[in-house]
Amino acid sequence: MNKKNLIVANWKMNLKTNDGVKLVQHVLDNGYDSDVIEVVICPSFLSLEAINRTVTKSPISVGAQNIFWIAGEGPYTGEVSSYLISGVCDYVIIGHSERRTILNEDDVLINKKVVSAIENDIVPIICVGETETNTSESDVKSMIFEQIAYAYDGISDEDAINTVIAYEPSWAIGTGNNNDSEVINRVCLECIRGGLNELYDSRVSNLVRTIYGGSVTGSIVSEIVQQEFVDGVLVGGASLSPDGFLEILRNSY
Ligand code: PGA
């Protein structure tokens, strides 16, 4: 297996800046094999610059957890645009299920955010997936096809290639119930790559990285990333402990 797995830490609304810096320093001090995995840390907006300074000259990248849908500057109190985070972040998480449900973000808004990220050369990590456990695989497929069709509206082939899709069934997030690794693999192949293949072609669908999120821990990550069509994981809770996160990094291949 020679793919480089992408491991994204989504800290959500956790870790003050000092604690986040300590966690990242612990990872850098103890090490992991950066030839086989790529690590992206997504702290709160408040910690982006400090984490960015901490990872300078290391292979770790920084991502934001959200952006506003207008790309530049302007009178939008409380918002942070892709322009403002450019230079500090390489990635941004878009359409996380917590934002879809708690903040009512819909597919049209998510598409605007994807366009905005691309405008400032930030790689969008677009979250898709079903909400209810026991959803049939054909329903999962039609939901994900629809989410992808909206998210990529107006996005060129060349821009699409440089995106990441995270399969995150919301029933698996923060519950301790991760999805089965073979199901994850099938969803990544048939629903995500299949959806991209309909919108674009096989070149694009093969190059877009597809990762999984939902109760990933150090003890199950290896089984998930060894699946052929899974290119990494998006980790919430288990990325908040220095040793727990290191365990994930060391088991991610
Ligand atoms: P979890 O969160 O690992 O705590 O389930 C994943 C996510 O929400 O991205």
Side-chain angles (χ1 to χ4, degrees):
M1 188 149 298
N2 53 11
K3 62 182 175 141
K4 195 165 181 174
N5 287 313
L6 177 66
I7 313 301
V8 184
N10 175 12
W11 287 354
K12 308 191 182 185
M13 200 174 70
N14 295 293
L15 298 180
K16 283 201 163 194
T17 300
N18 280 349
D19 296 325
V21 167
K22 275 190 209 147
L23 192 156
V24 172
Q25 199 57 56
H26 181 77
V27 169
L28 292 173
D29 291 345
N30 288 280
Y32 62 92
D33 190 348
S34 58
D35 290 337
V36 292
I37 57 173
E38 179 184 350
V39 178
V40 181
I41 305 285
C42 302
S44 77
F45 283 128
L46 204 58
S47 303
L48 284 174
E49 292 207 318
I51 300 295
N52 188 44
R53 274 195 300 277
T54 310
V55 301
T56 311
K57 298 198 182 117
S58 87
I60 296 182
S61 304
V62 179
Q65 298 173 18
N66 177 43
I67 43 169
F68 187 45
W69 56 273
I70 287 176
E73 295 176 294
Y76 304 103
T77 303
E79 293 300 331
V80 178
S81 68
S82 60
Y83 169 71
L84 292 186
I85 61 168
S86 61
V88 180
C89 291
D90 294 315
Y91 290 86
V92 60
I93 299 171
I94 293 178
H96 190 281
S97 66
E98 286 154 11
R99 299 199 64 86
R100 288 181 190 260
T101 53
I102 303 168
L103 293 147
N104 296 323
E105 291 198 0
D106 63 16
D107 286 316
V108 173
L109 182 71
I110 287 161
N111 171 247
K112 289 184 185 174
K113 293 187 176 194
V114 172
V115 171
S116 153
I118 291 171
E119 206 171 313
N120 280 299
D121 293 326
I122 294 168
V123 177
I125 301 170
I126 304 160
C127 301
V128 300
E130 77 278 11
T131 51
E132 303 294 327
T133 182
N134 296 327
T135 308
S136 70
E137 284 192 29
S138 66
D139 283 349
V140 170
K141 188 171 181 172
S142 43
M143 281 175 201
I144 291 182
F145 266 45
E146 186 173 318
Q147 289 167 334
I148 290 177
Y150 272 106
Y152 285 83
D153 187 27
I155 307 293
S156 71
D157 291 37
E158 293 319 307
D159 285 334
I161 285 168
N162 199 27
T163 62
V164 177
I165 298 186
Y167 168 48
E168 291 221 314
S170 45
W171 56 265
I173 294 176
T175 58
N177 301 320
N178 61 286
N179 206 342
D180 177 79
S181 57
E182 285 176 14
V183 174
I184 295 169
N185 196 42
R186 269 205 304 281
V187 170
C188 287
L189 173 63
E190 291 168 15
C191 308
I192 298 181
R193 291 184 199 278
L196 289 168
N197 207 31
E198 286 208 349
L199 290 178
Y200 300 96
D201 56 25
S202 60
R203 187 179 73 102
V204 174
S205 65
N206 284 330
L207 288 171
V208 170
R209 287 175 291 174
T210 54
I211 64 176
Y212 165 78
S215 296
V216 173
T217 60
S219 53
I220 57 157
V221 69
S222 158
E223 187 185 320
I224 295 172
V225 297
Q226 277 173 23
Q227 299 293 323
E228 186 176 355
F229 298 103
V230 182
D231 300 317
V233 285
L234 178 48
V235 189
S239 70
L240 297 173
S241 115
D243 287 328
F245 191 50
L246 255 189
E247 190 192 353
I248 289 180
L249 300 186
R250 289 177 174 176
N251 291 345
S252 288
Y253 41 87

